[in-house]
Amino acid sequence: MTTLTPAAAADRTGVSIDTLRYYEREGLIGPIRRSGGGRREYTEDDVFWIGLVTCFRDAGLGIADLRGFVAILRAEHPPQERVAFLRERRSALEQRVTALHRAMKVLDDKIAYYS
């Protein structure tokens, strides 16, 4: 199995090494394998999870939300619970997008006015 060093995993996922450690401490990824010398070794599965967590963070989910979703996944809850969780978060994200579009319209109007 191919593994990545922390630096390679950070480079591949676009997050810092500190962020990788934070995600691990918070239980959002991992547990991360360790080499005989105690150094972290990231697998492709870990890289996938880091990408998922990063995407959810970009979508505005907080750490508590992410912990909740990870708990649902790890406890092997029925798919309906996973879908319900994701639909709730998607709805909240849709509301944010709508608010951002309104704000952009105001900014565009002001730019046009002052141009």
Side-chain angles (χ1 to χ4, degrees):
M1 173 188 333
T2 303
T3 59
L4 300 170
T5 65
D11 185 55
R12 181 127 165 243
T13 60
V15 300
S16 70
I17 292 173
D18 288 338
T19 299
L20 293 176
R21 288 186 193 125
Y22 176 69
Y23 287 171
E24 184 180 4
R25 263 193 325 272
E26 292 297 322
L28 304 178
I29 62 170
I32 303 300
R33 287 179 39 176
R34 302 286 181 134
S35 69
R39 189 167 172 89
R40 287 174 177 87
E41 297 179 324
Y42 293 86
T43 65
E44 289 300 319
D45 191 48
D46 297 325
V47 169
F48 169 80
W49 275 98
I50 295 162
L52 185 64
V53 168
T54 301
C55 177
F56 284 177
R57 292 286 292 148
D58 290 345
L61 273 72
I63 296 299
D65 284 334
L66 289 168
R67 276 194 220 112
F69 186 62
V70 168
I72 289 170
L73 291 176
R74 288 191 177 151
E76 297 183 20
H77 287 260
Q80 300 90 321
E81 287 186 42
R82 297 172 188 178
V83 170
F85 176 92
L86 293 169
R87 281 189 175 144
E88 287 174 18
R89 294 331 176 270
R90 188 184 189 292
S91 176
L93 184 58
E94 248 178 11
Q95 291 172 11
R96 274 188 52 218
V97 167
T98 299
L100 288 171
H101 280 291
R102 276 195 307 268
M104 287 172 52
K105 170 91 172 83
V106 170
L107 290 173
D108 288 343
D109 290 348
K110 292 301 173 194
I111 290 168
Y113 177 79
Y114 291 117
S115 293

PDB file of all heavy atoms in Angstrom, residues 3-7 17 20-22 24-25 32-35 37-42:
ATOM      1  N   THR A   3       1.779   5.004   0.770  1.00  0.00           N
ATOM      2  CA  THR A   3       1.417   5.995   1.784  1.00  0.00           C
ATOM      3  C   THR A   3       2.111   7.302   1.470  1.00  0.00           C
ATOM      4  O   THR A   3       3.087   7.342   0.716  1.00  0.00           O
ATOM      5  CB  THR A   3       1.818   5.521   3.198  1.00  0.00           C
ATOM      6  OG1 THR A   3       3.229   5.302   3.236  1.00  0.00           O
ATOM      7  CG2 THR A   3       1.079   4.254   3.590  1.00  0.00           C
ATOM      8  N   LEU A   4       1.577   8.361   2.043  1.00  0.00           N
ATOM      9  CA  LEU A   4       2.132   9.695   1.856  1.00  0.00           C
ATOM     10  C   LEU A   4       2.652  10.226   3.180  1.00  0.00           C
ATOM     11  O   LEU A   4       2.060   9.969   4.233  1.00  0.00           O
ATOM     12  CB  LEU A   4       1.050  10.650   1.334  1.00  0.00           C
ATOM     13  CG  LEU A   4       0.402  10.311   0.001  1.00  0.00           C
ATOM     14  CD1 LEU A   4      -0.800  11.201  -0.242  1.00  0.00           C
ATOM     15  CD2 LEU A   4       1.414  10.466  -1.117  1.00  0.00           C
ATOM     16  N   THR A   5       3.702  11.007   3.111  1.00  0.00           N
ATOM     17  CA  THR A   5       4.189  11.709   4.283  1.00  0.00           C
ATOM     18  C   THR A   5       3.207  12.828   4.605  1.00  0.00           C
ATOM     19  O   THR A   5       2.391  13.215   3.744  1.00  0.00           O
ATOM     20  CB  THR A   5       5.573  12.333   4.016  1.00  0.00           C
ATOM     21  OG1 THR A   5       5.417  13.340   2.993  1.00  0.00           O
ATOM     22  CG2 THR A   5       6.590  11.289   3.593  1.00  0.00           C
ATOM     23  N   PRO A   6       3.284  13.390   5.793  1.00  0.00           N
ATOM     24  CA  PRO A   6       2.408  14.529   6.090  1.00  0.00           C
ATOM     25  C   PRO A   6       2.572  15.674   5.085  1.00  0.00           C
ATOM     26  O   PRO A   6       1.578  16.254   4.642  1.00  0.00           O
ATOM     27  CB  PRO A   6       2.840  14.939   7.497  1.00  0.00           C
ATOM     28  CG  PRO A   6       3.326  13.666   8.117  1.00  0.00           C
ATOM     29  CD  PRO A   6       4.012  12.937   6.985  1.00  0.00           C
ATOM     30  N   ALA A   7       3.801  15.967   4.701  1.00  0.00           N
ATOM     31  CA  ALA A   7       4.028  17.058   3.746  1.00  0.00           C
ATOM     32  C   ALA A   7       3.393  16.736   2.393  1.00  0.00           C
ATOM     33  O   ALA A   7       2.766  17.605   1.770  1.00  0.00           O
ATOM     34  CB  ALA A   7       5.519  17.319   3.591  1.00  0.00           C
ATOM     35  N   ILE A  17      -0.144  21.179   7.111  1.00  0.00           N
ATOM     36  CA  ILE A  17       0.134  20.061   8.014  1.00  0.00           C
ATOM     37  C   ILE A  17      -0.583  20.292   9.346  1.00  0.00           C
ATOM     38  O   ILE A  17      -1.134  19.352   9.933  1.00  0.00           O
ATOM     39  CB  ILE A  17       1.653  19.878   8.212  1.00  0.00           C
ATOM     40  CG1 ILE A  17       2.289  19.402   6.901  1.00  0.00           C
ATOM     41  CG2 ILE A  17       1.952  18.890   9.337  1.00  0.00           C
ATOM     42  CD1 ILE A  17       3.793  19.334   6.909  1.00  0.00           C
ATOM     43  N   LEU A  20      -4.104  19.202   8.943  1.00  0.00           N
ATOM     44  CA  LEU A  20      -4.201  17.738   8.984  1.00  0.00           C
ATOM     45  C   LEU A  20      -4.209  17.237  10.419  1.00  0.00           C
ATOM     46  O   LEU A  20      -5.029  16.397  10.792  1.00  0.00           O
ATOM     47  CB  LEU A  20      -3.044  17.095   8.224  1.00  0.00           C
ATOM     48  CG  LEU A  20      -3.016  17.300   6.719  1.00  0.00           C
ATOM     49  CD1 LEU A  20      -1.754  16.676   6.125  1.00  0.00           C
ATOM     50  CD2 LEU A  20      -4.252  16.737   6.063  1.00  0.00           C
ATOM     51  N   ARG A  21      -3.317  17.772  11.224  1.00  0.00           N
ATOM     52  CA  ARG A  21      -3.259  17.363  12.633  1.00  0.00           C
ATOM     53  C   ARG A  21      -4.547  17.755  13.359  1.00  0.00           C
ATOM     54  O   ARG A  21      -5.059  17.004  14.190  1.00  0.00           O
ATOM     55  CB  ARG A  21      -2.051  17.985  13.310  1.00  0.00           C
ATOM     56  CG  ARG A  21      -0.751  17.373  12.876  1.00  0.00           C
ATOM     57  CD  ARG A  21       0.408  17.929  13.683  1.00  0.00           C
ATOM     58  NE  ARG A  21       1.660  17.577  13.069  1.00  0.00           N
ATOM     59  CZ  ARG A  21       2.601  18.435  12.721  1.00  0.00           C
ATOM     60  NH1 ARG A  21       2.448  19.722  12.962  1.00  0.00           N
ATOM     61  NH2 ARG A  21       3.712  18.024  12.153  1.00  0.00           N
ATOM     62  N   TYR A  22      -5.045  18.954  13.053  1.00  0.00           N
ATOM     63  CA  TYR A  22      -6.289  19.425  13.677  1.00  0.00           C
ATOM     64  C   TYR A  22      -7.449  18.501  13.319  1.00  0.00           C
ATOM     65  O   TYR A  22      -8.218  18.093  14.199  1.00  0.00           O
ATOM     66  CB  TYR A  22      -6.568  20.861  13.238  1.00  0.00           C
ATOM     67  CG  TYR A  22      -7.869  21.411  13.751  1.00  0.00           C
ATOM     68  CD1 TYR A  22      -8.042  21.689  15.102  1.00  0.00           C
ATOM     69  CD2 TYR A  22      -8.934  21.647  12.894  1.00  0.00           C
ATOM     70  CE1 TYR A  22      -9.246  22.189  15.583  1.00  0.00           C
ATOM     71  CE2 TYR A  22     -10.132  22.151  13.360  1.00  0.00           C
ATOM     72  CZ  TYR A  22     -10.278  22.417  14.706  1.00  0.00           C
ATOM     73  OH  TYR A  22     -11.470  22.909  15.171  1.00  0.00           O
ATOM     74  N   GLU A  24      -7.334  15.450  12.511  1.00  0.00           N
ATOM     75  CA  GLU A  24      -7.133  14.170  13.205  1.00  0.00           C
ATOM     76  C   GLU A  24      -7.510  14.295  14.680  1.00  0.00           C
ATOM     77  O   GLU A  24      -8.218  13.449  15.223  1.00  0.00           O
ATOM     78  CB  GLU A  24      -5.683  13.713  13.060  1.00  0.00           C
ATOM     79  CG  GLU A  24      -5.426  12.349  13.662  1.00  0.00           C
ATOM     80  CD  GLU A  24      -3.991  11.887  13.519  1.00  0.00           C
ATOM     81  OE1 GLU A  24      -3.132  12.644  13.009  1.00  0.00           O
ATOM     82  OE2 GLU A  24      -3.718  10.757  13.943  1.00  0.00           O
ATOM     83  N   ARG A  25      -7.058  15.374  15.321  1.00  0.00           N
ATOM     84  CA  ARG A  25      -7.393  15.594  16.745  1.00  0.00           C
ATOM     85  C   ARG A  25      -8.894  15.671  16.955  1.00  0.00           C
ATOM     86  O   ARG A  25      -9.427  15.191  17.959  1.00  0.00           O
ATOM     87  CB  ARG A  25      -6.760  16.896  17.248  1.00  0.00           C
ATOM     88  CG  ARG A  25      -5.477  16.765  17.954  1.00  0.00           C
ATOM     89  CD  ARG A  25      -5.051  18.031  18.687  1.00  0.00           C
ATOM     90  NE  ARG A  25      -5.380  19.301  18.076  1.00  0.00           N
ATOM     91  CZ  ARG A  25      -4.625  19.946  17.182  1.00  0.00           C
ATOM     92  NH1 ARG A  25      -3.493  19.434  16.772  1.00  0.00           N
ATOM     93  NH2 ARG A  25      -5.009  21.110  16.691  1.00  0.00           N
ATOM     94  N   ILE A  32      -4.911   7.986  11.809  1.00  0.00           N
ATOM     95  CA  ILE A  32      -3.868   7.942  10.798  1.00  0.00           C
ATOM     96  C   ILE A  32      -2.816   6.913  11.216  1.00  0.00           C
ATOM     97  O   ILE A  32      -2.389   6.901  12.374  1.00  0.00           O
ATOM     98  CB  ILE A  32      -3.219   9.335  10.616  1.00  0.00           C
ATOM     99  CG1 ILE A  32      -4.277  10.388  10.254  1.00  0.00           C
ATOM    100  CG2 ILE A  32      -2.111   9.284   9.573  1.00  0.00           C
ATOM    101  CD1 ILE A  32      -5.050  10.132   8.985  1.00  0.00           C
ATOM    102  N   ARG A  33      -2.441   6.079  10.264  1.00  0.00           N
ATOM    103  CA  ARG A  33      -1.397   5.079  10.529  1.00  0.00           C
ATOM    104  C   ARG A  33      -0.096   5.765  10.929  1.00  0.00           C
ATOM    105  O   ARG A  33       0.156   6.900  10.543  1.00  0.00           O
ATOM    106  CB  ARG A  33      -1.105   4.260   9.265  1.00  0.00           C
ATOM    107  CG  ARG A  33      -2.163   3.293   8.897  1.00  0.00           C
ATOM    108  CD  ARG A  33      -1.808   2.549   7.640  1.00  0.00           C
ATOM    109  NE  ARG A  33      -0.373   2.214   7.615  1.00  0.00           N
ATOM    110  CZ  ARG A  33       0.199   1.504   6.681  1.00  0.00           C
ATOM    111  NH1 ARG A  33      -0.501   1.075   5.673  1.00  0.00           N
ATOM    112  NH2 ARG A  33       1.482   1.226   6.723  1.00  0.00           N
ATOM    113  N   ARG A  34       0.705   5.034  11.657  1.00  0.00           N
ATOM    114  CA  ARG A  34       2.031   5.523  12.046  1.00  0.00           C
ATOM    115  C   ARG A  34       3.083   4.522  11.592  1.00  0.00           C
ATOM    116  O   ARG A  34       2.856   3.318  11.622  1.00  0.00           O
ATOM    117  CB  ARG A  34       2.131   5.684  13.565  1.00  0.00           C
ATOM    118  CG  ARG A  34       1.122   6.621  14.197  1.00  0.00           C
ATOM    119  CD  ARG A  34       1.466   8.055  13.913  1.00  0.00           C
ATOM    120  NE  ARG A  34       0.506   8.946  14.539  1.00  0.00           N
ATOM    121  CZ  ARG A  34       0.856  10.008  15.223  1.00  0.00           C
ATOM    122  NH1 ARG A  34       2.110  10.337  15.383  1.00  0.00           N
ATOM    123  NH2 ARG A  34      -0.079  10.793  15.741  1.00  0.00           N
ATOM    124  N   SER A  35       4.218   5.055  11.212  1.00  0.00           N
ATOM    125  CA  SER A  35       5.345   4.190  10.859  1.00  0.00           C
ATOM    126  C   SER A  35       5.946   3.629  12.138  1.00  0.00           C
ATOM    127  O   SER A  35       5.558   4.020  13.246  1.00  0.00           O
ATOM    128  CB  SER A  35       6.405   4.995  10.098  1.00  0.00           C
ATOM    129  OG  SER A  35       7.021   5.932  10.975  1.00  0.00           O
ATOM    130  N   GLY A  37       8.620   4.381  13.354  1.00  0.00           N
ATOM    131  CA  GLY A  37       9.223   5.508  14.064  1.00  0.00           C
ATOM    132  C   GLY A  37       8.208   6.509  14.578  1.00  0.00           C
ATOM    133  O   GLY A  37       8.568   7.552  15.118  1.00  0.00           O
ATOM    134  N   GLY A  38       6.914   6.217  14.394  1.00  0.00           N
ATOM    135  CA  GLY A  38       5.872   7.098  14.906  1.00  0.00           C
ATOM    136  C   GLY A  38       5.443   8.205  13.959  1.00  0.00           C
ATOM    137  O   GLY A  38       4.629   9.051  14.316  1.00  0.00           O
ATOM    138  N   ARG A  39       5.970   8.225  12.752  1.00  0.00           N
ATOM    139  CA  ARG A  39       5.613   9.272  11.786  1.00  0.00           C
ATOM    140  C   ARG A  39       4.291   8.920  11.109  1.00  0.00           C
ATOM    141  O   ARG A  39       4.033   7.767  10.759  1.00  0.00           O
ATOM    142  CB  ARG A  39       6.725   9.386  10.751  1.00  0.00           C
ATOM    143  CG  ARG A  39       6.592  10.560   9.838  1.00  0.00           C
ATOM    144  CD  ARG A  39       7.896  10.761   9.066  1.00  0.00           C
ATOM    145  NE  ARG A  39       7.747  11.770   8.054  1.00  0.00           N
ATOM    146  CZ  ARG A  39       7.952  13.062   8.259  1.00  0.00           C
ATOM    147  NH1 ARG A  39       8.351  13.477   9.431  1.00  0.00           N
ATOM    148  NH2 ARG A  39       7.780  13.925   7.297  1.00  0.00           N
ATOM    149  N   ARG A  40       3.441   9.924  10.908  1.00  0.00           N
ATOM    150  CA  ARG A  40       2.144   9.705  10.253  1.00  0.00           C
ATOM    151  C   ARG A  40       2.354   9.261   8.806  1.00  0.00           C
ATOM    152  O   ARG A  40       3.218   9.788   8.105  1.00  0.00           O
ATOM    153  CB  ARG A  40       1.321  10.986  10.278  1.00  0.00           C
ATOM    154  CG  ARG A  40       0.771  11.339  11.634  1.00  0.00           C
ATOM    155  CD  ARG A  40       0.086  12.710  11.589  1.00  0.00           C
ATOM    156  NE  ARG A  40      -0.519  13.045  12.851  1.00  0.00           N
ATOM    157  CZ  ARG A  40       0.111  13.655  13.858  1.00  0.00           C
ATOM    158  NH1 ARG A  40       1.380  13.981  13.743  1.00  0.00           N
ATOM    159  NH2 ARG A  40      -0.536  13.930  14.975  1.00  0.00           N
ATOM    160  N   GLU A  41       1.503   8.329   8.372  1.00  0.00           N
ATOM    161  CA  GLU A  41       1.504   7.844   6.995  1.00  0.00           C
ATOM    162  C   GLU A  41       0.068   7.891   6.485  1.00  0.00           C
ATOM    163  O   GLU A  41      -0.800   7.175   6.981  1.00  0.00           O
ATOM    164  CB  GLU A  41       2.024   6.401   6.934  1.00  0.00           C
ATOM    165  CG  GLU A  41       3.444   6.244   7.390  1.00  0.00           C
ATOM    166  CD  GLU A  41       3.920   4.808   7.333  1.00  0.00           C
ATOM    167  OE1 GLU A  41       3.116   3.881   7.615  1.00  0.00           O
ATOM    168  OE2 GLU A  41       5.098   4.618   7.021  1.00  0.00           O
ATOM    169  N   TYR A  42      -0.175   8.739   5.497  1.00  0.00           N
ATOM    170  CA  TYR A  42      -1.520   8.936   4.965  1.00  0.00           C
ATOM    171  C   TYR A  42      -1.763   8.006   3.785  1.00  0.00           C
ATOM    172  O   TYR A  42      -0.932   7.881   2.893  1.00  0.00           O
ATOM    173  CB  TYR A  42      -1.711  10.392   4.536  1.00  0.00           C
ATOM    174  CG  TYR A  42      -1.688  11.343   5.710  1.00  0.00           C
ATOM    175  CD1 TYR A  42      -0.493  11.854   6.197  1.00  0.00           C
ATOM    176  CD2 TYR A  42      -2.862  11.701   6.346  1.00  0.00           C
ATOM    177  CE1 TYR A  42      -0.471  12.709   7.290  1.00  0.00           C
ATOM    178  CE2 TYR A  42      -2.854  12.554   7.439  1.00  0.00           C
ATOM    179  CZ  TYR A  42      -1.657  13.053   7.899  1.00  0.00           C
ATOM    180  OH  TYR A  42      -1.641  13.894   8.978  1.00  0.00           O
TER     181      TYR A  42
END
